[in-house]
Amino acid sequence: MLKTNLDSLTETRLDTEQVFDGVLLKVHRDTVRLPDGKSSVREYIRHPGAVVVLAVLPDGRLVFERQFRYPLGLAFIELPAGKLDAGESIEACARRELREEVGYEAEHWTHVGTMHPCIGYSDEHIEVFVATALRYVGHQWDEGEFLEILSLSLDEARSAMQRGELTDGKTLSALFMAAGHLPVTP
């Protein structure tokens, strides 16, 4: 395991202020003391955390969704995902998001790890789950949520990545992290 002297890298908060309080995101600006004793400013986003789910169909294909993402003005292919509600456990969130977004419930759940997608400007963490033994029960989209549901084999997902059609960071990372937990299909 890689070992480092964290004391030589740690920055210490001297002052903090919240500069934006949005519905989802909270933006902060902190003054910090650097390891060399000087001070600097750090701006970052507080995020409640999220989950992403690799839902495995009986034939080994994975459930994806296509969703328009306003900041980039494009529709993206993504795995089902969503933010944690206050006080909600990560597994409860994963179960809720899978049901709401793509209409499945799963009998078996495996937590495969945590990713930090935006370490330079956010404290967001995304918990990665694999869901198997799926049963379709119908989606329950949130007000104003519009999705297209699709399924892809791992080979089809890889091809979509290579063609630049699948570029969502959480989806790419989750596919990599869960590789050893997915069934091998012919």
Side-chain angles (χ1 to χ4, degrees):
M1 175 172 251
L2 181 65
K3 294 187 179 196
T4 61
N5 179 358
L6 292 180
D7 291 339
S8 69
L9 300 175
T10 301
E11 299 177 359
T12 305
R13 179 184 302 140
L14 301 173
D15 189 35
T16 186
E17 67 175 313
Q18 185 171 321
V19 295
F20 177 76
D21 186 12
V23 175
L24 170 63
L25 305 175
K26 317 298 181 198
V27 179
H28 291 258
R29 180 181 303 125
D30 290 1
T31 302
V32 300
R33 179 161 328 284
L34 301 173
D36 66 1
K38 296 177 183 173
S39 64
S40 190
V41 173
R42 300 289 183 248
E43 295 175 335
Y44 59 97
I45 299 168
R46 291 246 181 242
H47 187 283
V51 299
V52 61
V53 181
L54 293 98
V56 184
L57 294 166
D59 66 359
R61 297 169 69 80
L62 300 173
V63 179
F64 287 84
E65 58 192 50
R66 184 173 291 123
Q67 183 171 200
F68 183 81
R69 294 301 192 171
Y70 183 81
L72 292 167
L74 299 168
F76 286 85
I77 297 171
E78 307 173 47
L79 290 166
K83 75 169 188 64
L84 288 161
D85 288 339
E88 184 177 36
S89 74
I90 59 173
E91 185 172 323
C93 181
R95 289 178 182 274
R96 176 179 54 77
E97 289 294 340
L98 185 64
R99 169 73 162 86
E100 287 178 1
E101 291 193 353
V102 295
Y104 285 94
E105 291 180 348
E107 187 175 331
H108 303 292
W109 289 86
T110 303
H111 179 251
V112 297
T114 304
M115 73 175 87
H116 297 93
C118 309
I119 61 174
Y121 60 87
S122 176
D123 66 354
E124 181 179 9
H125 61 95
I126 301 177
E127 305 298 331
V128 181
F129 285 88
V130 173
T132 58
L134 301 181
R135 180 173 64 96
Y136 186 75
V137 293
H139 64 75
Q140 296 177 331
W141 293 339
D142 292 333
E143 180 71 27
E145 187 171 42
F146 303 94
L147 305 172
E148 177 186 333
I149 311 305
L150 55 148
S151 64
L152 299 172
S153 69
L154 281 175
D155 283 343
E156 290 169 331
R158 283 187 198 101
S159 293
M161 286 184 243
Q162 291 167 349
R163 291 189 307 272
E165 296 169 1
L166 197 165
T167 62
D168 171 55
K170 74 180 172 308
T171 297
L172 297 172
S173 295
L175 285 165
F176 180 78
M177 291 173 69
H181 298 272
L182 299 175
V184 177
T185 54

